[in-house]
Amino acid sequence: MNKCKWALSSPQMENYHDAEWGVPVHDDRLLFEFLVLEGAQAGLSWSTILHKRENYRQAFDHFDPETVARYDERKIEKLLQNPGIIRNRLKVEAAVANAQAFLQVREAFGSFDAYLWRFVNGEPVNHYWKRHDELPASTLISEIMSRDLKKRGFKFVGRTICYAHMQATGMVNDHTVDCFRHAEITRLYHSQDKE
């Protein structure tokens, strides 16, 4: 069974690849979780973040945006003492700012899901890459998304982070065509169309 080459770097990455990466996400809480984690990843490897994911869930109240939006300076200082997460003040403060912006977007659009998926017209973009080195780091869509998120007060949402978020949440299928997950996720896209 062929897999995207990066998935074989660790058992944790392999599990993430096989179960989550590229699967369309429409749950607001999970979309917020990925937004925080992608921002935390900036300058680091995704495997580092995956290794700390459960610590993040505990530290950030299971990524409940209403709760995170109310974090004060005392809570931020407590997070900066937590060795289970990336203790970078800008990233922690960005998570709080992003929760506040997230709530505003949800209020304006009905859900963060409705806002985010409009960048791909509500449907996943199915790519047909033959090699992993063909995958882009960003696209015009991720650039547009990044600009719009920044305009709405989000932080750590550059075009590369936005594209990684799109990949993680299934807005794009970037599994290579020889990977077994490419066909599975393509079928998933089509089965959702019939519902």
Side-chain angles (χ1 to χ4, degrees):
M1 176 167 51
N2 288 336
K3 297 185 182 195
C4 299
K5 287 182 180 159
W6 61 264
L8 305 174
S9 60
S10 74
Q12 197 168 31
M13 288 292 281
E14 188 172 3
N15 289 339
Y16 172 69
H17 168 273
D18 292 357
E20 286 189 84
W21 195 68
V23 175
V25 173
H26 294 285
D27 175 75
D28 270 9
R29 192 214 53 80
L30 189 52
L31 288 169
F32 178 64
E33 176 175 336
F34 275 115
L35 191 69
V36 173
L37 295 177
E38 296 291 352
Q41 185 208 350
L44 303 169
S45 71
W46 185 242
S47 62
T48 298
I49 300 304
L50 271 186
H51 182 72
K52 294 177 177 286
R53 189 177 189 183
E54 194 52 45
N55 296 333
Y56 267 92
R57 285 179 175 153
Q58 298 301 317
F60 283 87
D61 292 287
H62 298 279
F63 296 104
D64 177 61
E66 289 90 352
T67 303
V68 177
R70 292 192 303 269
Y71 285 0
D72 57 14
E73 187 57 38
R74 191 172 65 187
K75 174 65 173 180
I76 290 170
E77 288 300 327
K78 184 177 176 186
L79 287 168
L80 291 172
Q81 302 305 313
N82 185 337
I85 67 168
I86 305 302
R87 295 179 287 180
N88 175 300
R89 177 175 288 280
L90 292 177
K91 291 178 180 182
V92 171
E93 289 175 345
V96 178
N98 288 352
Q100 294 163 354
F102 179 98
L103 296 178
Q104 291 173 357
V105 164
R106 195 172 68 185
E107 179 72 25
F109 290 86
S111 68
F112 191 70
D113 172 62
Y115 162 76
L116 204 61
W117 278 82
R118 70 190 179 97
F119 290 102
V120 290
N121 297 318
E123 294 186 17
V125 177
N126 204 15
H127 289 141
Y128 294 90
W129 310 117
K130 290 189 169 103
R131 297 182 325 274
H132 191 262
D133 62 4
E134 292 180 290
L135 273 67
S138 64
T139 62
L140 178 59
I141 294 173
S142 74
E143 173 72 39
I144 292 167
M145 180 190 296
S146 171
R147 280 198 305 258
D148 199 73
L149 285 165
K150 288 176 182 176
K151 184 178 76 177
R152 296 174 188 279
F154 288 86
K155 312 236 182 264
F156 279 89
V157 288
R159 64 186 182 198
T160 301
I161 289 174
C162 284
Y163 195 67
H165 190 269
M166 291 172 69
Q167 291 172 313
T169 61
M171 295 175 73
V172 294
N173 180 1
D174 271 355
H175 290 278
T176 52
V177 291
D178 64 340
C179 175
F180 80 101
R181 287 297 281 160
H182 187 276
E184 287 183 355
I185 289 175
T186 301
R187 281 193 300 275
L188 178 64
Y189 290 173
H190 294 304
S191 68
Q192 287 179 338
D193 290 343
K194 294 174 186 169
E195 290 176 2

